[in-house]
Amino acid sequence: QVPEEDAPMPPGFIAMLLKRPSLWAVGAANFGLDFINFMFLTWYPTYLVEQYHMSLTRMGVMAMEPYVFALVTVLGAGRLVRWLCDQGMNSVKARRMVIFAGLLLGTLALVVTVNVTDLYASVTAMSLGYAFVMAILGPMWSTPADIAGPRGVGFASGFVNFVGNVGGIGSPILMGVVFQHFASFTPAILISAGVTLACGVLFMLLYRVEADKQAVAAFRG
């Protein structure tokens, strides 16, 4: 937890935060997370029914799989970061590794989904795609406070949430347009894989927490 800071923000503080690459890196990661999350919330049940002609009862059981997997990966990712830090790794590096790995593994699992024909293999791969992306949740949300410090944690967290919600809003709309145009879920799933991969690459290119923390700490307005 970040100690409460009652002092007002100095002039130009928010503008300075918006220039921090790491804040945009975390925003990109959250964009990918919410893009996948909202795709599953809105389209995954339809995918099971349309693609595999499941009954609503069977679909209901199969639709639990991504969230069961995610329960394990979200808790496991947090534990992994803690273990890496206990082994002597810097927390910034540990979070960077786990966040990128989650986005990359999620991308690979989504690509596998459209390249297997077996029902259970396909559903399991897609569920793992969701679960790996969701695994970044804890490490990702611990980063805005680390970047922005006590004065800027509220704005930084709100900004990351805003960028994520843009992905969440766009995802079901884009998936609907793609499915209507191609009458297939394959392009939609591949687009989702492309989004998570792009977010992972942007995250790695922009993630400079140590330098950004120093810039925030040194800012006087």
Side-chain angles (χ1 to χ4, degrees), residues 55-73:
S55 66
L56 292 178
T57 301
R58 191 181 182 196
M59 179 274 293
V61 174
M62 298 293 287
M64 292 191 302
E65 190 172 289
Y67 308 104
V68 173
F69 286 0
L71 179 64
V72 176
T73 58

Side-chain angles (χ1 to χ4, degrees), residues 25-202:
V26 181
N30 197 33
F31 184 98
L33 183 148
D34 274 358
F35 191 95
I36 296 299
N37 190 29
F38 278 72
M39 182 190 79
F40 271 76
L41 290 173
T42 54
W43 283 104
Y44 186 61
T46 304
Y47 167 76
L48 295 177
V49 173
E50 295 286 340
Q51 185 76 11
Y52 295 108
H53 309 292
M54 291 185 181
S55 66
L56 292 178
T57 301
R58 191 181 182 196
M59 179 274 293
V61 174
M62 298 293 287
M64 292 191 302
E65 190 172 289
Y67 308 104
V68 173
F69 286 0
L71 179 64
V72 176
T73 58
V74 168
L75 295 175
R79 184 67 187 89
L80 177 58
V81 171
R82 179 71 267 165
W83 181 83
L84 291 171
C85 292
D86 290 343
Q87 300 305 305
M89 182 179 288
N90 180 284
S91 64
V92 172
K93 293 181 180 179
R95 282 176 288 175
R96 178 177 61 189
M97 185 180 75
V98 172
I99 292 172
F100 180 69
L103 292 170
L104 180 61
L105 291 173
T107 298
L108 295 175
L110 290 173
V111 172
V112 170
T113 299
V114 299
N115 286 286
V116 293
T117 55
D118 179 76
L119 164 63
Y120 296 103
S122 178
V123 170
T124 298
M126 194 165 182
S127 298
L128 286 172
Y130 176 84
F132 283 132
V133 174
M134 290 301 109
I136 76 173
L137 197 61
M140 181 191 72
W141 276 115
S142 66
T143 305
D146 200 17
I147 298 168
R151 289 181 297 180
V153 60
F155 172 79
S157 298
F159 175 79
V160 169
N161 193 52
F162 168 77
V163 176
N165 282 335
V166 172
I169 292 169
S171 173
I173 298 173
L174 178 62
M175 295 302 102
V177 170
V178 171
F179 179 69
Q180 184 175 28
H181 182 76
F182 292 99
S184 169
F185 280 98
T186 296
I189 294 172
L190 289 176
I191 288 172
S192 300
V195 169
T196 54
L197 180 60
C199 289
V201 172
L202 281 173

